[in-house]
Amino acid sequence: MFVLGLQGSPRIKGNTNILLSSFLAEAERLGANTQNLDVARMNISPCQECGTCEKKGFCPIDDDMQQVYPLLRQADIIVMATPIFFYGPTAQMKALIDRSQALWSLRYVFRLMDPGRKWRQGFLLSVGATKGRNLFEGTVLMAKYFFDAVGASFDGALTYKQIEGPNDIKKHPTALDEVKEKAQALVTPFLNRKKILFVCTGNTCRSQMASAFAQYYGGDKIEVESAGSAPAKEVNPLMKEAMKEKSIDMAYREPKSVEEAAPFGKPDLIVSMGCKDVYPQFPGVPNEEWNVPDPFGKSIEFMREIRDDIEERVSSLIGVEKKKRGG
Ligand SMILES: Cc1cc2nc3c(=O)[nH]c(=O)nc-3n(C[C@H](O)[C@H](O)[C@H](O)COP(=O)(O)O)c2cc1C
């Protein structure tokens, strides 16, 4: 599982970073993969309100935010951590929040469903110097709206007042323990999921569709990854089109090799679609061969047939009835 931390304080080793690092350290200790993104030192421009995301579904600004979109999509848990600057998050964090409009558009303009959306959790950590009664109100509201835009349920916040000097949070009687406990509570339900690795040749059509359906139908019980024996440069645009017809959003996915998929850890099951040669890399791991033809280079009609076949197979593999998707 993957926990993404968004660190919004410009102060090196400030209070926010101490809180977030404690959360992530506990998550790692429990077995999660984590990443602490130092948002305050990234080059993320504010949204220009150009409207491209609402017309085309992506943000054209070529800066560090382009690395953040796929991470937001991969995360099981997203932790936004920011000090209060003038009753809101820092400007650096606010730029990232505004740029998530590109993901908001995919959901609310294009009506597409990110397959991880149902299961992803969002959490806020924040500190401020004063005792103001409403100190965190604006930031909590903003966090709720941000998490909805990026496809995560808001799971609450831990906020600390009267934290001003760089190490004040370390003197707080309960903060670091509370953060650890929260990390345990959030991470634990994700830990015992069965791991399924879907493999095909290019990791551009079949294994991508299978992993998306599996995540969509069973992301609470299974953790999925996909890879290819000879990964292509990008996922197949026809595959994306065919999945769009099912309201499933395949944005920000890139083909990867079995080696690149290694952080996923040892799978409990490998499902291969024309890529049996990966089995020796996982001695002792049970496997299944799905005899699904490669739709690469074929028509959209053929892609649809393969998509529907894979959806049926995934639903019976994970033992769920196909549910109606909300769009
Ligand atoms: C530009 C700026 C604006 C701030 N605005 C507020 C504020 O509105 N309310 C407040 O309680 N603290 C405010 N603070 C104080 C910080 O929230 C506080 O020092 C916090 O501990 C900094 O966290 P950090 O160490 O993670 O950077 C402000 C600090 C700065 C530099």
Side-chain angles (χ1 to χ4, degrees):
M1 70 156 306
F2 176 47
V3 184
L4 177 65
L6 305 173
Q7 198 295 111
S9 168
R11 201 186 241 169
I12 311 247
K13 296 189 183 157
N15 297 298
T16 304
N17 201 18
I18 293 168
L19 280 180
L20 179 60
S21 300
S22 306
F23 187 104
L24 297 178
E26 184 60 10
E28 287 246 355
R29 192 187 68 76
L30 293 167
N33 291 315
T34 69
Q35 189 165 344
N36 186 344
L37 265 194
D38 199 359
V39 174
R41 266 154 285 276
M42 292 177 81
N43 171 30
I44 300 177
S45 312
C47 172
Q48 301 300 322
E49 214 179 356
C50 64
T52 306
C53 66
E54 291 177 24
K55 288 189 207 97
K56 298 186 177 170
F58 64 88
C59 177
I61 303 175
D62 185 14
D63 62 9
D64 291 348
M65 190 64 195
Q66 299 301 339
Q67 304 161 27
V68 181
Y69 294 123
L71 293 172
L72 291 168
R73 279 290 168 93
Q74 285 155 28
D76 295 298
I77 297 172
I78 301 168
V79 185
M80 182 203 287
T82 180
I84 296 299
F85 279 12
F86 286 87
Y87 276 79
T90 60
Q92 292 90 333
M93 184 61 83
K94 184 64 165 55
L96 182 150
I97 292 169
D98 290 353
R99 294 282 297 285
S100 71
Q101 181 76 356
L103 299 180
W104 180 92
S105 293
L106 287 170
R107 175 75 186 103
Y108 291 107
V109 179
F110 291 83
R111 300 267 155 207
L112 293 175
M113 178 62 100
D114 153 22
R117 180 178 189 94
K118 277 195 283 182
W119 326 110
R120 192 174 297 118
Q121 302 287 316
F123 193 72
L124 171 69
L125 295 172
S126 190
V127 296
T130 62
K131 294 198 257 188
R133 205 157 53 92
N134 304 323
L135 185 54
F136 299 105
E137 227 166 67
T139 307
V140 166
L141 271 177
M142 210 181 288
K144 281 183 184 167
Y145 200 65
F146 166 73
F147 285 127
D148 184 66
V150 301
S153 310
F154 179 62
D155 202 273
L158 282 172
T159 55
Y160 298 96
K161 294 177 181 174
Q162 294 182 281
I163 302 295
E164 187 162 18
N167 280 309
D168 278 3
I169 198 72
K170 289 188 180 161
K171 296 175 217 148
H172 190 282
T174 56
L176 294 178
D177 285 340
E178 285 166 356
V179 163
K180 248 180 160 179
E181 277 164 28
K182 191 67 208 180
Q184 286 165 10
L186 275 174
V187 166
T188 307
F190 285 99
L191 287 175
N192 295 320
R193 292 177 300 171
K194 186 172 172 179
K195 288 187 181 191
I196 304 181
L197 175 66
F198 294 95
V199 288
C200 66
T201 318
N203 188 217
T204 168
C205 298
R206 291 168 294 177
S207 55
Q208 290 284 353
M209 290 192 279
S211 64
F213 281 129
Q215 188 183 23
Y216 177 77
Y217 286 123
D220 54 339
K221 293 181 216 74
I222 55 166
E223 191 175 348
V224 295
E225 179 57 290
S226 70
S229 52
K233 281 215 172 74
E234 54 179 21
V235 297
N236 189 302
L238 270 193
M239 178 280 289
K240 281 178 147 183
E241 274 312 303
M243 292 297 271
K244 252 188 208 167
E245 293 171 1
K246 291 245 159 190
S247 302
I248 293 205
D249 187 5
M250 301 298 280
Y252 304 107
R253 290 173 182 252
E254 280 182 9
K256 53 170 98 68
S257 64
V258 175
E259 289 71 28
E260 284 164 334
F264 181 61
K266 189 178 170 191
D268 298 299
L269 175 70
I270 299 171
V271 175
S272 158
M273 285 157 278
C275 185
K276 281 186 200 152
D277 46 331
V278 304
Y279 296 160
Q281 288 173 254
F282 299 95
V285 174
N287 55 63
E288 265 187 37
E289 177 61 32
W290 287 0
N291 202 9
V292 180
D294 188 354
F296 184 81
K298 305 265 173 62
S299 65
I300 183 80
E301 290 76 20
F302 191 73
M303 186 69 78
R304 287 183 188 125
E305 275 174 39
I306 299 300
R307 173 200 66 197
D308 294 344
D309 181 14
I310 289 175
E311 186 178 15
E312 287 296 335
R313 287 169 187 266
V314 167
S315 331
S316 69
L317 174 74
I318 62 178
V320 291
E321 291 295 314
K322 277 191 294 175
K323 293 170 214 141
K324 199 175 178 317
R325 271 176 294 278

